[in-house]
Amino acid sequence: MSSPTSAPDRTDRDPAIAAAAQRLSSALTNRRPCAPIRDLIAADDIESAYRVQTLFNADRTAAVVGRKIGATSVAVQTQLGVDQPDFGVLFADMAFGDGETIPMGTLLQPKAEAEVAFMLKSDLADGDLDIEQCRAAIDYAAPALEIVDSRITGWDITFADTVADNASAGLYVVGDARRTLDEYSPVDSTMTMTIDGEVVSEGNGAACLGDPLNAVAWLARRARQFGEPLRAGQLILSGALGPMRPIAPGATVTAEIGELGSVTAHFTSN
């Protein structure tokens, strides 16, 4: 399989793969959502979808800083109409600080998810890549908002569509709090997310594949399978703790994640 995070050739021998990547790239560049790509690859063709993702990401000039796991909660799987997790790539230009204002014009049809972020202090490349190995590789946890953003019109996606679209990655915000896993248990997290002060999403750590550390272990094995293991210094967004919610221009989104505390993002009015 092609690697979704290496520096790939900007071509693909399969014209359908190249056409799908070009469709998504045009949507990103022109700030106009496009038709789904399942007319070009099958809705359940995971290998081809990750090949499209690799090609779609190839023109990004920012540095790769981590990975995101998508569709980890039943609530989000139901919202998206999928039945398994996926993963995408985080680039340096996707990052915003806690409390910063995000230009709405950089997004197409954004939605917010509350998540636990993990910073790795060692590689996850060898061994069993089980929960205990992943726990030992984590430097700290932090509260995070992921701003997912489909390039596909109306979020009309199958599993292959969202995988190809870099797992619907948009932007992300990491809060200032830092907790080691000796201080904090991700599975015991409770989550409340508000938009303009109204509670719009609630959940807990167990909603994320049973434990956010399960999600990290899943990702570590999947990333190694694709030839690009997780490395020290990378940030991992481990997946939503509850339903994602759409963001309107001018909104303020805040997530409270148990002992990790809060993280906030403001959005411009246009």
Side-chain angles (χ1 to χ4, degrees):
M1 293 184 179
S2 300
S3 162
T5 58
S6 58
D9 188 347
R10 285 168 167 75
T11 60
D12 194 289
R13 286 175 293 180
D14 186 334
I17 300 294
Q22 181 57 50
R23 184 180 297 178
L24 292 167
S25 293
S26 295
L28 179 64
T29 300
N30 297 326
R31 305 295 180 194
R32 286 194 296 272
C34 65
I37 55 95
R38 56 185 177 269
D39 61 324
L40 297 168
I41 65 170
D44 59 354
D45 188 347
I46 298 174
E47 179 173 350
S48 292
Y50 277 112
R51 285 170 63 192
V52 174
Q53 183 189 122
T54 297
L55 203 57
F56 174 47
N57 285 337
D59 288 333
R60 301 290 292 253
T61 57
V64 173
V65 296
R67 313 284 178 85
K68 62 148 288 181
I69 314 168
T72 54
S73 75
V74 172
V76 171
Q77 288 181 2
T78 300
Q79 286 182 299
L80 295 179
V82 304
D83 61 0
Q84 58 186 304
D86 64 355
F87 74 95
V89 181
L90 299 178
F91 294 92
D93 59 359
M94 294 178 174
F96 282 80
D98 192 1
E100 285 192 53
T101 298
I102 296 172
M104 202 68 175
T106 63
L107 299 160
L108 297 178
Q109 40 193 355
K111 299 182 180 186
E113 298 179 342
E115 312 192 5
V116 178
F118 296 105
M119 177 60 69
L120 298 182
K121 62 183 177 182
S122 56
D123 294 350
L124 286 170
D126 302 310
D128 294 336
L129 301 181
D130 57 14
I131 289 181
E132 290 310 311
Q133 183 179 353
C134 291
R135 176 188 294 275
I138 290 169
D139 188 14
Y140 61 80
L145 288 167
E146 183 184 357
I147 312 304
V148 291
D149 191 26
S150 180
R151 265 59 64 176
I152 293 172
T153 301
W155 283 87
D156 178 17
I157 59 175
T158 63
F159 187 69
D161 291 306
T162 188
V163 168
D165 189 22
N166 196 27
S168 303
L171 307 170
Y172 66 91
V173 184
V174 177
D176 294 331
R178 303 285 186 266
R179 296 287 185 273
T180 69
L181 296 190
D182 290 333
E183 303 172 310
Y184 164 73
S185 173
V187 71
D188 295 325
S189 293
T190 57
M191 180 278 291
T192 301
M193 185 172 74
T194 62
I195 297 181
D196 296 331
E198 178 184 355
V199 175
V200 296
S201 180
E202 295 180 285
N204 54 61
C208 181
L209 290 186
D211 185 332
L213 293 177
N214 286 337
V216 176
W218 175 89
L219 175 63
R221 293 189 291 267
R222 196 75 167 134
R224 182 172 66 181
Q225 176 188 353
F226 276 81
E228 285 291 329
L230 303 181
R231 299 296 184 186
Q234 289 187 333
L235 181 77
I236 307 301
L237 296 182
S238 61
L241 303 181
M244 60 184 181
R245 296 301 183 205
I247 304 166
T252 293
V253 182
T254 298
E256 295 275 353
I257 303 179
E259 297 174 0
L260 284 182
S262 67
V263 55
T264 294
H266 306 286
F267 294 83
T268 61
S269 57
N270 51 46

